[in-house]
Amino acid sequence: MSPDAIRRPAPAPGTVRTEQVWKRFRADQQRMLLRDRVDAAVRRLRGGRGEDWRWALRDISLRIEPGESVGLIGSNGSGKSTLLKMLTRVMYPYAGVIDVRGRIGALIEIRAGIHPDLTGRENIYLFGALLGLRRTEVAGRFDDIVEFARLGGAIDRQVKFYSSGMQMRLGFAVAAYLEPHVLLVDEVLAVGDAVFQQRCLDRMREVLEQGTTLVFVSHDLPAVESICARGIWLEQGAIRVDAGIREAMAGYRDSIEAQSEAGARTGEPVRLVGHEVRGEERENLTTDEPMTVELTLAGDYRGDATLHLGVSEGTASPIFQLSHEVRLAGGDHRLACVIPRLPLPRGRYTLWAGLYGIGRTDGGTLMSWHSVGQFDVFGPLLDTPPRAVVLAAPVFVPHQWEE
């Protein structure tokens, strides 16, 4: 028998595969990338069609195995939600192949898969039927869905009378409890309250333990890092990094910091022209020991202002932030902030700063919030709990145990 006659086994349920996927939209002129504008201009010069297109995805090839947890990260407009919608077959590619095996549970929009004229109960059974489940199978999970969504008596009310939060809870519960082979979750969880968000994260960990494949899109990087083992960083519609979640996160965070540092601050009244981060007697920074941050500001501005200083693990949301009122008299202004006991475990951190005028009527920004630089801390590592149990807290607090 020739090799061509041997059929390869079909991919297992839960497998996600894309090959050379491209997707384009008719462009909003104000959002087109420069290279897209140039391409369109060249086509017109060559006598081609004058239509302008914006490429949302460019040559996306990836394979996700059953049971993998993958986080899609990237800035707004990078193509994350577009890729997720194509995996659900809500959209189709301009070119390339998309193959998702097995039942798909998806929450990509608040009302995705929910019919407003049907009741919550009817929507649950309809969704189950679309997944190919028998009515008895859906009935066996019905109570869990209603309890998770916390709909109570509203389950027999038409969904069009639900609040957006109720619709989102129903949509996630249906997607996550009808045992899909692949669960796709977009940023829509951000509309829920903190308690429900945590319950959703816990449920996603449960379905991962059951062997479900998870693709998670979110700007909440700590949540993505706590759930996903693999990260795919999209930038301008292309895969920039496909690696372990920590490596992908590190690359994305470094990019954010580089963009912040390179951001133009011309026209701002005050500039940060120098800084130094040091430990005790200029030694290395160490957990639970003193840390000093010295800053030098320059500019012609005269008046009172508030300086905000923050420390983060990469994004602009600080682990902690300190504020101080200063009086600027023009020229250089030096000041220092001393933290007697640094509450950070071993690792690399980013220093952020911003300066805002007091009593100004123009919005108050004297120096916009931006990344100043990075520094390393030596000391103990936090014990990281199993990924499916709980989020790791980022701040080290000295403590002791007694029994």
Side-chain angles (χ1 to χ4, degrees):
M1 181 181 296
S2 67
D4 293 336
I6 300 175
R7 298 185 60 184
R8 295 182 179 179
T15 303
V16 177
R17 180 176 63 92
T18 71
E19 290 185 4
Q20 298 178 318
V21 169
W22 294 73
K23 180 64 176 178
R24 67 179 187 176
F25 298 101
R26 197 173 301 280
D28 177 347
Q29 291 292 329
Q30 295 181 348
R31 295 182 58 189
M32 285 184 69
L33 298 174
L34 177 59
R35 61 185 174 190
D36 291 331
R37 292 173 182 264
V38 172
D39 289 345
V42 170
R43 287 197 305 272
R44 286 193 293 268
L45 289 173
R46 291 176 176 174
R49 298 176 64 183
E51 296 177 340
D52 294 326
W53 297 91
R54 177 176 62 86
W55 288 102
L57 293 175
R58 303 168 182 268
D59 197 20
I60 301 294
S61 295
L62 59 88
R63 184 182 179 94
I64 302 173
E65 300 296 338
E68 272 198 280
S69 53
V70 178
L72 292 182
I73 58 177
S75 59
N76 290 331
S78 60
K80 306 184 300 299
S81 295
T82 299
L83 177 57
L84 214 62
K85 288 177 180 178
M86 288 200 294
L87 295 181
T88 63
R89 303 184 181 96
V90 173
M91 292 181 179
Y92 292 91
Y94 172 78
V97 175
I98 295 178
D99 183 19
V100 181
R101 294 301 174 107
R103 296 191 299 271
I104 300 174
L107 188 63
I108 56 177
E109 292 178 358
I110 291 177
R111 297 176 179 85
I114 302 296
H115 197 294
D117 291 327
L118 300 180
T119 66
R121 182 187 301 272
E122 291 167 338
N123 268 290
I124 293 173
Y125 282 98
L126 173 62
F127 198 98
L130 293 174
L131 289 178
L133 297 174
R134 294 190 298 273
R135 189 175 180 85
T136 55
E137 293 178 297
V138 178
R141 304 175 179 91
F142 183 84
D143 290 342
D144 290 334
I145 293 172
V146 176
E147 191 281 329
F148 185 90
R150 295 185 176 176
L151 293 176
I155 194 65
D156 288 311
R157 189 187 310 161
Q158 285 179 298
V159 170
K160 64 184 177 182
F161 298 116
Y162 286 11
S163 68
S164 60
M166 294 170 68
Q167 293 182 39
M168 189 266 295
R169 295 200 302 272
L170 175 63
F172 182 87
V174 169
Y177 273 88
L178 291 181
E179 298 184 5
H181 295 108
V182 180
L183 178 60
L184 308 173
V185 182
D186 203 347
E187 190 67 56
V188 290
L189 292 182
V191 304
D193 58 40
V195 173
F196 183 71
Q197 289 178 23
Q198 186 59 50
R199 293 175 65 223
C200 289
L201 296 175
D202 291 341
R203 179 57 190 169
M204 284 191 275
R205 295 186 183 98
E206 291 174 5
V207 299
L208 281 172
E209 291 181 338
Q210 296 167 4
T212 297
T213 303
L214 173 67
V215 182
F216 184 28
V217 172
S218 178
H219 289 291
D220 185 349
L221 299 187
V224 175
E225 191 169 359
S226 72
I227 291 178
C228 300
R230 174 180 168 190
I232 298 177
W233 168 23
L234 294 178
E235 185 176 72
Q236 296 182 356
I239 295 178
R240 180 77 179 271
V241 173
D242 182 352
I245 189 62
R246 289 186 178 274
E247 182 179 345
M249 288 286 190
Y252 179 47
R253 286 168 169 163
D254 288 345
S255 174
I256 293 173
E257 293 156 12
Q259 291 175 27
S260 175
E261 292 173 1
R265 288 186 185 40
T266 57
E268 292 187 342
V270 180
R271 304 185 320 279
L272 180 65
V273 295
H275 80 279
E276 182 183 12
V277 181
R278 65 173 186 271
E280 191 172 20
E281 298 181 356
R282 298 189 180 274
E283 294 297 325
N284 293 328
L285 293 172
T286 305
T287 303
D288 207 29
E289 294 187 2
M291 167 182 169
T292 300
V293 179
E294 289 190 353
L295 303 175
T296 302
L297 306 173
D300 297 330
Y301 179 78
R302 297 173 182 270
D304 295 330
T306 301
L307 175 70
H308 297 278
L309 197 65
V311 171
S312 80
E313 289 186 290
T315 66
S317 299
I319 299 171
F320 65 85
Q321 178 181 315
L322 306 171
S323 301
H324 178 66
E325 291 189 9
V326 297
R327 174 161 293 180
L328 302 177
D332 291 353
H333 186 97
R334 294 180 177 83
L335 69 161
C337 176
V338 179
I339 299 174
R341 300 177 65 180
L342 183 63
L344 296 175
R346 186 191 315 172
R348 172 159 290 189
Y349 300 90
T350 302
L351 183 70
W352 296 75
L355 187 71
Y356 302 88
I358 298 175
R360 288 169 59 93
T361 59
D362 59 355
T365 301
L366 301 176
M367 180 180 70
S368 58
W369 182 251
H370 69 285
S371 167
V372 174
Q374 293 184 323
F375 61 89
D376 294 315
V377 174
F378 297 87
L381 283 170
L382 286 178
D383 292 332
T384 303
R387 188 175 301 276
V389 177
V390 69
L391 294 175
V395 177
F396 175 81
V397 177
H399 63 284
Q400 62 182 13
W401 297 93
E402 295 181 359
E403 296 187 9

